Amino acid sequence: MIVLGLVLVVVAAIVVLAAVFGGSNAPASLDLGILDLDITSLGVFLLGAATLLVLVTGLQLVRTGARRGYARRKQLREARRVVDAQRSSERERGESAADPAHRDSTPPPGSPS
């Protein structure tokens, strides 16, 4: 996996160098409807690279937010499970204390014998 990643990085570096040093400086017209730009091929390439960078950053932010949300929901489920377990054990203790068969026969301290 690391080797494939390094190969892709090298290929990307070659493409960037070819675009920077091998592109023509002849202006090209870019018509965006209300805006008409005259831009070189290097400018188009750099504009595309910047757009890709913004896209990747946005996707990374979405991914990070989704992971944090999942972790928060998982933590909340675990906390609810613990609280439910505590409540059920408290109820069981309360029921056994109310049951006369489970009561201790010794009187409480300070009471007349």
Side-chain angles (χ1 to χ4, degrees), residues 8-23 42 45:
L8 291 175
V9 168
V10 169
V11 168
I14 291 171
V15 169
V16 168
L17 291 175
V20 170
F21 294 115
L42 177 61
F45 177 79

Side-chain angles (χ1 to χ4, degrees), residues 19-30 37-45:
V20 170
F21 294 115
S24 69
N25 286 336
S29 179
L30 183 63
L37 296 174
D38 288 331
I39 191 167
T40 64
S41 60
L42 177 61
V44 172
F45 177 79

Side-chain angles (χ1 to χ4, degrees), residues 96-106:
S96 65
D99 189 5
H102 291 96
R103 281 196 187 152
D104 194 5
S105 62
T106 58

Side-chain angles (χ1 to χ4, degrees), residues 1-9:
M1 209 42 122
I2 293 174
V3 173
L4 179 61
L6 289 174
V7 168
L8 291 175
V9 168

